[in-house]
Amino acid sequence: MAYYRILFSDIDGTLLNSKSQISADTLQAIQSLNAIKIPFVLVSARMPKGMETFQHQIGVCEAMICFSGALVLGPRDAAGHREVIRDITLRREDVENVYQWIKPQDDITLSVYTKDDWYVDELNEVNLQESEITSIKPVVCGQERIFDIQHINKILCIGNPQHINRLQTDISKNYPKLTVYKSKPTYLEIMAPQVSKSSAMKDLLTSMDLTMDRAVSIGDYYNDIDMLQNAGLGIAMGNAPDEVKMYADEITASNDHNGLKLVIDKYFLNGGV
């Protein structure tokens, strides 16, 4: 029996190839995990609706770590319900502070997310493109209603890389307790203090009577670093930046060469280690 008992996987750049698809070989490997009752847990900055699409495609109903760790949902039961294991939201004050900082910058598009909905103040080109990518329709609420939204798990800012880098520096400097990082060169994610992928993994593992040393994590970007560092085995994709690979225990092939499948084969399907 394999030593490792659970696999945590990022989505973009890890589960998905450069065409935003799950390859047939990777899909088969994940379904083989399901057959031997090894949980395959998706970990992403995405909202639950955006992650369940991939679970349906894979054919699993496992737990999910959403919003980069702000929200953890248990496996879907026969009635379609999920236990909320963790739900960390931003204070209204934090949302207002970030919004007032970003508002004068016309080149930055801001969205907010709750467990069930994605809110935007206008349906501009950027939000339409994000809707097409995620297959989720935003709720257009107007600027005046942003602060009335309850239980916000995440703020997302989208802009060109140079402006996103500047905004990351400014928000981190002025609001150092907030969790702020890029999930893509053009995406800045802002969550409440103490939010991280690894702390969410620990909460989920505790609920499952498992420990971090029995977990494998795999990812490809800067927001995956703490997940790679804290799992029993952290593996970086071959397409990850060199700075991310430095924090991994091992490097697999790229997302266009079935890097995730190779990890599943090596550590779960072929006897493990």
Side-chain angles (χ1 to χ4, degrees):
M1 179 182 290
Y3 174 79
Y4 298 107
R5 302 305 304 152
I6 188 168
L7 175 57
F8 292 93
S9 174
D10 175 51
I11 294 179
D12 298 285
T14 302
L15 172 67
L16 304 181
N17 59 26
S18 59
K19 296 180 180 178
S20 296
Q21 298 171 342
I22 305 173
S23 75
D25 288 340
T26 295
L27 179 61
Q28 183 178 17
I30 296 169
Q31 291 171 339
S32 296
L33 276 184
N34 191 37
I36 59 173
K37 301 189 183 305
I38 297 291
F40 178 73
V41 178
L42 294 177
V43 186
S44 176
R46 294 178 183 240
M47 67 187 298
K49 288 179 184 176
M51 298 173 67
E52 285 186 332
T53 299
F54 299 111
Q55 283 199 332
H56 289 317
Q57 184 177 350
I58 295 166
V60 302
C61 54
E62 299 290 355
M64 302 186 300
I65 295 176
C66 318
F67 302 129
S68 298
L71 179 68
V72 180
L73 301 177
R76 188 174 63 252
D77 64 22
H81 301 135
R82 293 180 182 271
E83 176 189 2
V84 178
I85 296 169
R86 172 192 247 205
D87 188 6
I88 302 177
T89 58
L90 286 152
R91 298 181 307 165
R92 178 183 175 125
E93 177 185 351
D94 291 328
V95 177
E96 290 179 352
N97 286 339
V98 171
Y99 189 78
Q100 293 304 320
W101 190 269
I102 295 170
K103 186 177 177 182
Q105 305 184 53
D106 294 335
D107 53 346
I108 300 291
T109 295
L110 179 141
S111 304
V112 299
Y113 291 81
T114 66
K115 174 177 172 289
D116 298 310
D117 291 299
W118 164 33
Y119 294 90
V120 300
D121 59 11
E122 64 175 335
L123 203 57
N124 59 21
E125 183 179 348
V126 171
N127 289 328
L128 287 170
Q129 184 178 24
E130 180 69 6
S131 178
E132 185 176 347
I133 291 170
T134 61
S135 299
I136 296 172
K137 292 183 178 180
V139 177
V140 181
C141 64
Q143 294 182 4
E144 68 282 356
R145 289 188 55 205
I146 285 284
F147 306 131
D148 295 330
I149 298 167
Q150 302 295 311
H151 306 296
I152 293 174
N153 291 104
K154 184 184 81 168
I155 298 171
L156 173 64
C157 303
I158 303 177
N160 72 52
Q162 181 180 354
H163 295 163
I164 288 295
N165 286 338
R166 182 189 66 220
L167 183 62
Q168 180 181 26
T169 300
D170 291 342
I171 296 293
S172 298
K173 179 180 178 180
N174 287 276
Y175 308 106
K177 292 185 178 181
L178 293 178
T179 302
V180 182
Y181 56 72
K182 293 183 293 183
S183 56
K184 296 180 182 180
T186 54
Y187 284 36
L188 188 68
E189 317 271 350
I190 303 170
M191 279 79 60
Q194 312 303 320
V195 169
S196 69
K197 289 186 175 183
S198 63
S199 61
M201 287 164 58
K202 289 176 183 177
D203 281 0
L204 177 59
L205 289 168
T206 297
S207 75
M208 300 172 71
D209 259 347
L210 288 172
T211 52
M212 207 67 149
D213 64 306
R214 306 302 294 272
V216 176
S217 66
I218 182 166
D220 76 300
Y221 208 63
Y222 298 100
N223 58 330
D224 298 317
I225 288 175
D226 82 289
M227 180 171 80
L228 301 181
Q229 285 181 296
N230 287 283
L233 180 66
I235 300 178
M237 297 293 291
N239 48 290
D242 289 341
E243 297 94 327
V244 175
K245 292 176 181 176
M246 289 172 52
Y247 292 94
D249 298 306
E250 185 176 313
I251 300 165
T252 186
S254 76
N255 59 331
D256 284 330
H257 293 88
N258 292 316
L260 176 56
K261 174 194 182 301
L262 296 177
V263 170
I264 293 171
D265 287 347
K266 179 176 180 180
Y267 289 103
F268 295 98
L269 300 184
N270 294 333
V273 293

